[in-house]
Amino acid sequence: MPDPRFRAAAPDTLRVEQLDVLTAVFHRASGITHLLAEPAPEIMAALAAEPLTVAALLARLGEAYALGDADERALAARLDELVAAGLVEAV
């Protein structure tokens, strides 16, 4: 079975505003505003262009950010949270 891929919610379903160190994301489909801290906005931005597996997403984030000891399990946990909020979906 292939690894699941994840993608961010469609840009037209979100309104994103930077609030100092937090990011407010209004999800039009649910009517809920989410306040996100790093790395959630960066994960969503990386998934905006194309669906990625956890491993591919970790590699893409590693190209842009100093991730230190980040691992796939930690990233998968953040993805699960974003999926539960409706901001990311598994495809």
Side-chain angles (χ1 to χ4, degrees):
M1 178 178 353
D3 290 336
R5 295 181 307 143
F6 297 88
R7 69 175 172 206
D12 62 338
T13 67
L14 305 173
R15 178 167 177 184
V16 180
E17 296 292 333
Q18 190 64 41
L19 303 171
D20 198 23
V21 297
L22 297 176
T23 302
V25 179
F26 176 67
H27 185 236
R28 289 183 173 95
S30 67
I32 297 173
T33 299
H34 303 272
L35 291 177
L36 306 177
E38 291 181 349
E42 291 79 7
I43 290 170
M44 291 177 59
L47 293 172
E50 63 181 319
L52 298 170
T53 64
V54 174
L57 177 58
L58 187 60
R60 176 148 315 155
L61 291 170
E63 293 170 1
Y65 305 100
L67 298 182
D69 61 352
D71 64 20
E72 288 186 22
R73 286 191 324 245
L75 181 54
R78 299 297 75 77
L79 284 168
D80 288 344
E81 293 168 356
L82 291 169
V83 168
L87 301 176
V88 168
E89 66 179 320
V91 294

